[in-house]
Amino acid sequence: MSRYAEFVSNNHNQNVEELKELLRIPSISSLSEHKEDVQQAASWIADKLKNIGMENVEVVQTKGHPIIYADWLHQENAPTVLVYGHYDVQPVDPVHLWETPPFEPTIRDEKIFARGATDDKGQMFLHIKAVETLLESEGKLPVNVKFCIEGEEEIGSPHLPQFLAENNEKLSCDVVVISDSDMWDRGVPAITYSLRGLCALEVSLKTANTDLHSGMFGGGVQNANHLLVQLLSTLHDSNGKVNVAHFYDDVLELTEFEKEQIQALGFDEEKLKQQLGLTDLTGGEHNVPYPERISSRPTLEMNGLWGGFQGEGTKTVIPNQAHAKITCRLVNNQNPEKIQDLIKRHLEEQAPQGCTVSVSLGDTGNPFLTPIDSPMIQKAAEAYQDVYGKSPVYKREGGSIPIVSDFNQSLNAPVVLMGFGLPDENLHAPNEHFNLENFDKGILTICSFLEQLKS
């Protein structure tokens, strides 16, 4: 790797300047006024892929934002790697909290500040630079490489599943590699081998045909807010366990090795309580250790509650409607649609007297898991060891990236999540940044991973 290290070091400033060019493009996928900016970012990446030597570069238009495809397929009897990433970014609000403008990349304290710096332009760009490094140094790649870079990840990738289904053969590969996650800590690489899935529901409860005067009807008719609180209280037992029949039927217990890995990460409860301004960490299942509860156990959360008068002051009404939004984080082997049906049935069966309950089903996303002992995971571990000088930790992520499961199922290929961000880099928040200490190391780690795969 030494010759690659010298090449990457010599090109560091140029590489950072190129990343700045991409970060200046305000490719906010959720805002229609930035549609042309998203298109510009797609064209920029396509041009960059052509310039480094990738072939069959396409900007594929969808009903939304474009998907970029490119490949280099000249290694017979070698594995094929599909790199996935996204070039769209989150909105920047609240703008006044940014220390420097979000689309004017600024370097301070060896960090590059801009929207998209770590999520995901900076991390995705590492793969482009790794391929360029190998092609410039060797004139070829050690394995076959394909790119699939989309512009809708921040709005749920609505058109990517169809693209996967329609281009299954074109995208066929031996492993999918994604860098859209983080390391455990500074200097401590991590491989995320599991993501939780999700499902969403909304429950509406109705009593009378209109809001009623609390002086004329108070104490005589049902209050929708009261009944909704009563209904929602049936969703958990006194120990924080979800109280929906069959909710846990498909949950697989952690192996002893997985539990050891979680324990080895270390957890400072007092530090976290201080950071969050809390006096205890008793959410969820009380008899399960906190690190397992937030990564390896399913949850059911109330995300929003409303009903009756919401304005300033007092309005003495008895509300006739009340509503709640619910989401669940789900673990490997759970089916989101099945869980939705179980919760819907529970709410309907537990509805208090004197009201009607309706439940609408929202978005779903499948959980994902690649076994720690997967050969591809181990190749990635060797690459981190090669560059960072230490083996990565293995972690389950409590969040969800639904498209990861789509890749896994559609292409029947393992997915390796090789993150190079750090947990405190403010993704989705003001002053998002990427630590440049992981810029060159990230490029070299990806180079090493591709080299490891050829053997």
Side-chain angles (χ1 to χ4, degrees), residues 319-433:
N320 75 318
Q321 294 186 43
H323 313 270
K325 291 182 182 290
I326 297 170
T327 58
C328 297
R329 297 290 178 169
L330 307 175
V331 295
N332 184 48
N333 206 48
Q334 285 188 296
N335 180 283
E337 288 77 17
K338 177 180 177 181
I339 296 298
Q340 281 181 323
D341 289 340
L342 292 174
I343 297 171
K344 181 175 185 291
R345 187 183 313 157
H346 175 96
L347 292 169
E348 291 170 345
E349 291 176 351
Q350 296 293 321
Q353 288 186 343
C355 71
T356 57
V357 167
S358 60
V359 181
S360 58
L361 307 183
D363 294 338
T364 62
N366 288 312
F368 158 80
L369 182 141
T370 295
I372 291 177
D373 59 0
S374 161
M376 296 301 179
I377 291 282
Q378 293 308 308
K379 294 290 187 184
E382 291 170 16
Y384 278 119
Q385 175 71 49
D386 183 25
V387 175
Y388 283 85
K390 61 178 64 177
S391 297
V393 298
Y394 298 96
K395 67 187 183 80
R396 286 180 175 237
E397 177 59 57
S400 306
I401 310 177
I403 197 61
V404 173
S405 179
D406 289 338
F407 272 106
N408 178 235
Q409 295 178 10
S410 180
L411 302 180
N412 192 30
V415 180
V416 178
L417 299 173
M418 299 181 69
F420 297 97
L422 290 176
D424 62 354
E425 290 181 337
N426 287 19
L427 65 166
H428 291 203
N431 302 308
E432 178 181 352
H433 57 277

Side-chain angles (χ1 to χ4, degrees), residues 16-25 44 48 105:
V16 171
E17 288 303 312
E18 290 180 15
L19 176 57
K20 285 183 178 179
E21 290 180 21
L22 179 58
L23 293 172
R24 289 189 184 103
I25 304 172
W44 189 96
K48 186 61 59 179

Side-chain angles (χ1 to χ4, degrees), residues 203-205 224-236 302 343 346-352 355-359:
V203 55
S204 296
L205 183 150
N225 282 348
H226 296 180
L227 295 185
L228 182 62
V229 170
Q230 179 182 330
L231 176 60
L232 295 178
S233 70
T234 69
L235 291 170
H236 295 85
M302 265 74 81
I343 297 171
H346 175 96
L347 292 169
E348 291 170 345
E349 291 176 351
Q350 296 293 321
C355 71
T356 57
V357 167
S358 60
V359 181

Side-chain angles (χ1 to χ4, degrees), residues 23 112 114-124 179-181 420-422 425-427 432-434:
L23 293 172
I112 184 166
R115 173 57 89 228
T118 190
D119 181 23
D120 176 46
K121 288 179 178 178
Q123 296 200 62
M124 177 270 295
S179 294
D180 193 12
S181 54
F420 297 97
L422 290 176
E425 290 181 337
N426 287 19
L427 65 166
E432 178 181 352
H433 57 277
F434 183 61

